[in-house]
Amino acid sequence: MAQTFIEILRRALDEEMARDAAVYLLGEDVAEGGAFGVTKGLAAKHGATRVKNTPISEAAITGMATGAALCGLKPILEIMFIDFATLALDCLVNQAAKYRYMSGGQLAVPMVVRTQSGAAGGAAAQHSQSLESWFIHVPGLVVVAPSSPMEAYGLLKSAIRLGDPVLFIEHKRLYAMKEDFVDSAELPTIGKARVAREGSDVTIIAYSAMVRTALEAAETLAGRGISAEVIDLRTLLPLDMATISASVSKTHRAIVAHEAVMSGGVGAEIAARIADELFDELDAPVKRVGCPFVPIPFAPELEKALLPNALSIVQAAQELVR
Amino acid sequence: MSVNTPNAERQIWIYTQMLRIRTFEERVKRTFTDHPGVIRGHTHLADGAEASIVGSLSGFKKGDAALATYRCHGYPLVLGSDPKAAMAEIYGRVDGLCKGLGGSMHLTDVAHGFLGTSGIVGAGIPHAAGAAWAAQIRGKEEVVLCFFGDGASKQGAFAETLNIASLWKLPCVFVMENNGYNVVTTSAQEDANAAAGEPLSIKAKAFAMPGVTVDGTDPLAVHAVVSEAVARARAGHGPTLVESKVYRLSAHGNIIAPPGVPLHYPEHEAITVFGNSAEYEAALRGDPVPRFRGILVQNGILTPEHAAKITSEVDAEMQAAVDFALKSPFPTLESALQYNYA
Ligand SMILES: Cc1ncc(C[n+]2csc(CCOP(=O)(O)OP(=O)(O)O)c2C)c(N)n1
Ligand SMILES: [Mg+2]
């Protein structure tokens, strides 16, 4: 039976808590399910000690999760909206990412910070951002952005077992997405991308909710005689250049599509790496698809108009494959 | 004297640890003149706070943990770290506690319960609470000691953390070393409680936890206050905020200068900024290390001969640390690319 992203994510949390007694959940309202109900029922099942509600103190709770991780726990912290990660940035950037390094390998921070990002349904400028590129700039962090319920299931489990601080970015537009739950013994490797659709004329590199959009675009393009390959990055840091390279060496054209604004974005990084490492393979410049450089407006009609969609990707592909 | 008074042997141990910190840091300071260029970056000395540090850690048990700030040389020495490895870290050498990747501000020695430091003022406070949360879950009556400065208590992380620590009854003791200064700013210039003439321990009241102010230049007084707080934490009754009043006898840190400019320790800010030599000289007269030695001799706990023997042993230990650190190789380039991920 098909289950939603939220249900499948909850299942991953539930199973990891059952599997490993060191896994603890904390965050604002998590004992009641958190802002989107992801952790609903877990307190009743695993006990209030293991699913802790915290005060609205992002600096302290991120610091506490880090401190607990130093001492053998595997905390999973929920930051309600990635927009609020600004208040946790000091800990993530200056401490969690650096403890292992600064201590010469004595310390480890096996922590997952779950958060959600992206625009949906008129949450306006402070509850809709895509801020992932801030974090890919920080050595020591891992950034994961799953594209579907089953992807989230495997990636969350791998993240929990990784042993390094992971920012796990869910997309609110995906929360209602349904998929059949498929049991598989194999978990994805953090740092490995996946080819979501094979093609030969152009590579569309995407992550998070934009993978679905890219697949839609690829379908449209197929109808117009353009064969698009879609790469789901899964992990933004570390970046899987090997998968990108294999694909671009085949298609000779690349588009990076994300919901975040383009300036200083993940797409800028990937375009630079492709230009640097695969210049001779390219038949056309690398294209980026992203949001215009403004905050996300409230009016849902405007929000929808600004967000990159399948058509934006189709147009970019058609410009490249002329 | 209360039941919390350490016996004679323990008092000698406390004195010895105070002297070890002092001598170690004198050798750090002397390195700037004896071996110019050997220490780069930022160092911060704890001279004047030795009684507070040792008094706080004298009840430390295996399984307990301590976290501190960039002013961090003293704690690991008391907890059992090898001064050779500590000095090598400060010199940026491969045999350092952190293999030269941390430096003076980030001494860490997990094997001895010293979980690390943050150079970001106030940032270590929630980490200590997180460590205390883990200790609470382990349920072995282990505690976490969290050291930070008076200035750090104006950070949001301080207020956020004390609230949770009290709410969750975490086994944590927050030791605020009030040395009266944040670099060149006095507490009264930046702290509403200090400006109103209140002790900084009053901040505990906002978080429904005990707050105690203690003379941080008296190791036995600190021992008494902190061990009571530790006992409370071990018993599951939650955290305490201890304001330990000390005076830092050196400037905030060595001068910060671009490469090529030799580094040194300037005079204390009381003199350079406030023109108040009288304040500084009074603090020097109250120097806790010779004072405690005097008290032990006066009380017949330590003979002058024994004191002299301790001094020469500590001198030799710290000379060996300097010699070792000077000879230790620089880290290899490959090591700079390690330890980033598991
Ligand atoms: C977040 C942050 N702001 C500013 C600084 C610069 N700084 C380093 S130490 C210091 C003073 C801190 O005073 P206090 O907490 O009393 O500790 P002390 O140095 O006196 O031991 C400042 C402002 C910093 N390291 N981190
Ligand atoms: Mg101070």
Side-chain angles (χ1 to χ4, degrees), chain A residues 226-298:
Chain A
I226 295 175
S227 162
E229 178 146 307
V230 176
I231 293 180
D232 175 1
L233 286 176
R234 292 175 152 172
T235 309
L236 309 183
L237 176 66
L239 198 59
D240 181 4
M241 271 312 285
T243 298
I244 294 173
S245 175
S247 179
V248 174
S249 302
K250 179 171 70 174
T251 63
H252 310 294
R253 294 171 188 86
I255 297 168
V256 192
H258 53 54
E259 181 173 323
V261 298
M262 280 180 274
S263 302
V266 172
E269 170 67 16
I270 294 173
R273 300 266 305 254
I274 292 175
D276 196 9
E277 297 169 28
L278 301 165
F279 188 73
D280 291 339
E281 294 290 349
L282 290 176
D283 285 347
V286 180
K287 276 250 170 229
R288 286 179 293 162
V289 171
C291 250
F293 197 62
V294 289
I296 300 291
F298 163 64

Side-chain angles (χ1 to χ4, degrees), chain B residues 75-97:
Chain B
Y75 316 95
L77 293 180
V78 181
L79 295 178
S81 299
D82 185 348
K84 288 180 175 148
M87 194 65 83
E89 188 60 37
I90 294 166
Y91 289 5
R93 306 301 171 101
V94 73
D95 298 303
L97 282 172

Side-chain angles (χ1 to χ4, degrees), chain B residues 70-71 119-121 149-152 155 179 181-183 252:
Chain B
Y70 46 88
R71 200 179 295 287
I120 310 296
V121 170
D150 48 294
Q155 279 286 11
N179 59 16
Y181 284 86
N182 309 195
V183 194
H252 171 74

Side-chain angles (χ1 to χ4, degrees), chain B residues 56-75:
Chain B
S56 298
L57 292 175
S58 54
F60 195 91
K61 291 191 179 153
K62 199 169 161 47
D64 293 344
L67 290 93
T69 71
Y70 46 88
R71 200 179 295 287
C72 64
H73 304 161
Y75 316 95

Side-chain angles (χ1 to χ4, degrees), chain A residues 62 66 77 79 85 88-98 111 113 135 138 141 165 167:
Chain A
T62 311
T66 301
L77 171 71
I79 298 283
L89 266 187
D90 171 58
C91 178
L92 293 174
V93 173
N94 283 321
Q95 289 107 39
K98 293 182 174 54
M111 160 177 86
V113 179
F135 299 93
V138 183
L141 291 183
L167 185 69

